[in-house]
Every structure is written in C-alpha cells, then in structure tokens.
Amino acid sequence: KMLGNLGENLTNTMKKLAGMTVIDKKTIKEVVREIQRALIQSDVNIKLVQSLSKKIEERAIEEKPPKGITPREHVITIIYEEMVQLLGSEAVDLNIDQKPFKILFLGLQGSGKTTTIGKLCKYLQKKGFSPAIVCTDTWRPAAYEQLKQLTEEMQISLYGDPNNKDALDLAKKGLKEFKNQKVIIFDTAGRHKEESDLLKEMKELDEVINPTESILVIDGTIGQQAGAQAKAFSEATEIGSIIISKLDGTAKGGGALSAVAETGAPIKFIGTGERIDDFEAFNPERFISRLLGMGDIKSLVEKAEEVVDEDVATETMNAMLSGKFTLKDMKNQFDMMNKMGPMQQIMNMIPGMGAKIPKEASKMTEDKIVIYKIMMSSMTNKEMENPKIIKHSRIARIARGAGVEESEVKDLLKYYNNTKKAMKGIGRRGMGGGAMNRLM
Ligand code: GDP
C-alpha cells in the first residue's frame, strides 16, 4: 500500500467531491479540510499544507471554470494541479549523456542504499547500459560482500578491496580500473563515528571522483526530516538526483516527497518495496493521479477536450485499419495514450473495436513513448507523412537532432512498420478472433 492511508484518504475525498451536486464555498472548504488532514497525517509540513490549501481555496472560489467543464470538475483539476506542484511538478529523467558517466552514490546506513544500487543497475541494464560499481565503503565490513553478492547475480563488474581502508584510494583505483566503462557507480559509506566525518569524506570523494551526477538515497519513512537530510548532503556535493526509498507502506512518504521537492533537488526515482523491481522513475503527475485515484474519476479533465480526442481517436483508428497509417497517426496514437491511458482503453472507446489490440502497441512503455516522440519531433512533415523516404542520411540527421543513437531511430521505424502491418491485418480480416491470434 503506497504511502499508508494517504492514497486511500485522498481518493475517498475526490470521490466524494465527484459526487457533490452543489459546489460552493462551504463544500470547497470541507474538501480542502479533508485534504489538509490527510496530508498532515502523512507528515507534510504544516506550512506547506497551509499554503497549498489557501491556493486551492482561492483558485476554486475565484477562477471561473473554462467552457465545457463543470465547477466540480474544475475544482478537481485545481486540486490535482496544486498537488502536482507540491511535488515539484516536472518529471526529471536520469540522462546518461556522456562517457564516462560517474555516479557518486550517497545515503545514510539503512536508507536502502545497497538495495537501491541494485535496483538502479537493473533499471540501467534494461536501458542497455552495463554499469560497473566501485565500493568505497571502508566503514561497514560487510559492504563489499553485500555488493559482491549483488553484482555476481546481476553480472556487473565490481571493484573493491576489503583490506584497503582508504576510501579515496579505492575511488582512484576504481576510476583506473573502469576507465573504459560508460557508467560507473561509486558506492560510499553510510556511517562514520560522527556525521561531520561522513560528510567530510563525501566532499573528498566528490573532489577525487568529480562525479557527473551525485545521487542521494533517502529513507521515505523519516517523513519531512528528508528535507534536512537532502540539505546536509548537498553541502558535501551538488546533489543531482534523489531517490526516496521505502515508500511502500509508510504513512510519512508524503512528508518526505514534499520536503525534498521543496529543497529543489529533483526526485528522479522512488523505491516501493524490497524486491529489485520495486523501483520506478518518479513522475509527479502520474504519482498524484494515482494518489487521487484519478483513474477512477471519469471524465475528469475538460469534456470539450475529450470530444476532440474522440474524433482524433476515430480518425486515427480509421487510418490504421485502412492501412494508411503514417508516423503522424502514430504520434496521435501516442498522444492519446498519454492523455487517456493505454491503447486498450482507447480502443474500447471506439465502436466496433473489440477488446483486442496488437501486441506491439500493448507492450509500449511510457519511457519509450517519450523517446519516440522526441525522435518524431526531429522529423520533417514530409517524413512524418511518408515514412518510406526515411533512409540513411535522414536517419542520421534525425538521430543527431534528437540526441539519440541511429539504432534508436531504426527501432522506432521498425515499431512503426510492425504496427502498420498489424493494423492492416485487422482491417483486412475484420476483428474476428481467429485473425487476431496470428498477431498475439
Ligand atoms: P543500506 O544500509 O543503506 O545499504 O541499506 P540496505 O540496502 O541494506 O537496506 C536496508 C533495509 O531496507 C533492507 O532490509 C532492505 O530490504 C530495505 N529496503 C530498501 N529499500 C526498500 C524499499 O523501497 N521498501 C522496503 N519496504 N524496504 C526497503
């Protein structure tokens, strides 16, 4: 259960709001009070809660709902927007954009640092990187052993020496050892006799390693204390990303997230359990939607917009089925997926399109969509409408423009061609189950 009862409480409040027939000052205040209570229980700083409620109340009372949305939907949208703001609003990616990409990995003992290194490595491996790890933790005797076990399972290179008690020396030797690697992760001590000694060592490591990015792991169960911890570490090194661990089950996660967001350090990932896959890129919009149970609240954003979406959806579907499926149509498809969720749901909106979708579309991940969209934005109109003309030199140009490898552009084109083929198949054979089996 994510963030203890916070999600449940907020979802209930939103459901209640969605069911209200009259929206006036009194009901707005009532809803805001419920949100306040839920956030304070989750250890969100009182001042933050107060300013949030004030903003929601003011906007809900003063702003006129845009055409096509009801006052109730308007209030829901305002709550959503302000809550997203509380978490820093923008999703920030970990962008491995240079070689070597040196990561200084920090965190207090027990924060989940070692577990999180494993999770991050798995995440990076999925993206095609093979990270190497340097153990500079000379403080905890078992640190090297724990990493050794982890890395052997994952087939990751590890440098360390349990007999060497000089963290800086280990870092230097690790740098040499892995000088040809693209991603190097430096694990550090999580404890010293004095906290100031720990921070001093981190500062020295920062100087020796000159990290491309420092990543700090913070235990989400400490609540708003996370803000002070982020600040303390940022005195030793510039913190490029924060990972909040243990957000599963803790009631205080809301406090941790909002306090860190307030320091301005980007939260790039969250840990949601003990297993290696319990890890996700942090996206404030998606996170808040989930917390508010937005998936369940139908016709949330502007109705007017939805009607437009339905038209675009129908048009795109028709293009798909007729085999006239261009990259433009595919981009529309992605936009719809962003706004309305998975392809499955969109297909359900269209009369006659049963419950089945091609495998290619259903296994599309959000991360991939983002990259695909960046590549498509580097294409010309002509290329989007007639993808056949995209050959060698154009592929190179698109890759340069989007800052990706040429193989990724080819991957996009392959996905496009497969989708097109699959769609054509459905169009020709109709939606009968037999025809679909070939595709699934
Ligand atoms: P380190 O001392 O910072 O290296 O911490 P460890 O990686 O050894 O983790 C400390 C404990 O926290 C272990 O029992 C982990 O299983 C647990 N842990 C780490 N991340 C998470 C998480 O996201 N959720 C939960 N529930 N437990 C976690």
Side-chain angles (χ1 to χ4, degrees), residues 183-353:
V183 185
I184 314 167
I185 298 175
F186 293 84
D187 185 25
T188 61
R191 195 166 70 94
H192 259 249
K193 229 187 257 140
E194 303 281 341
E195 195 187 88
S196 58
D197 289 342
L198 177 69
L199 291 175
K200 185 167 156 265
E201 183 173 300
M202 296 307 120
K203 207 174 197 160
E204 288 165 353
L205 281 171
D206 180 72
E207 276 158 22
V208 166
I209 295 165
N210 186 23
T212 323
E213 179 140 339
S214 293
I215 299 183
L216 172 64
V217 181
I218 299 181
D219 181 337
T221 63
I222 68 171
Q224 56 176 302
Q225 277 307 316
Q229 209 176 96
K231 270 191 208 134
F233 274 96
S234 67
E235 273 157 33
T237 167
E238 185 194 333
I239 303 293
S241 23
I242 297 214
I243 301 177
I244 311 248
S245 65
K246 308 187 195 179
L247 281 184
D248 48 311
T250 175
K252 289 189 164 184
L257 289 165
S258 54
V260 169
E262 208 194 0
T263 69
I267 302 167
K268 292 193 187 167
F269 299 96
I270 54 177
T272 56
E274 292 188 272
R275 290 170 310 136
I276 195 141
D277 287 313
D278 297 330
F279 186 68
E280 53 185 89
F282 181 63
N283 177 327
E285 288 182 344
R286 210 186 319 145
F287 191 79
I288 293 294
S289 304
R290 233 192 302 164
L291 216 51
L292 296 179
M294 294 299 225
D296 302 324
I297 304 172
K298 285 262 184 303
S299 70
L300 167 75
V301 198
E302 300 156 46
K303 262 186 203 149
E305 204 177 280
E306 228 167 66
V307 175
V308 174
D309 284 343
E310 256 172 70
D311 286 348
V312 175
T314 311
E315 207 177 283
T316 306
M317 258 350 125
N318 284 339
M320 284 174 174
L321 297 179
S322 71
K324 257 194 329 234
F325 181 64
T326 68
L327 276 168
K328 252 195 179 149
D329 295 314
M330 193 161 94
K331 176 145 185 310
N332 283 339
Q333 191 190 58
F334 288 156
D335 288 340
M336 288 191 293
M337 280 157 98
N338 272 1
K339 264 191 224 146
M340 297 187 264
M343 204 53 203
Q344 184 78 64
Q345 258 157 272
I346 304 167
M347 299 287 272
N348 287 341
M349 281 175 46
I350 298 158
M353 297 299 289

Side-chain angles (χ1 to χ4, degrees), residues 85-105:
Q85 207 67 36
L86 188 69
L87 295 189
S89 74
E90 292 282 313
V92 191
D93 286 337
L94 176 64
N95 201 1
I96 309 287
D97 54 0
Q98 48 180 291
K99 183 185 170 184
F101 195 94
K102 295 174 283 181
I103 296 174
L104 182 60
F105 213 90

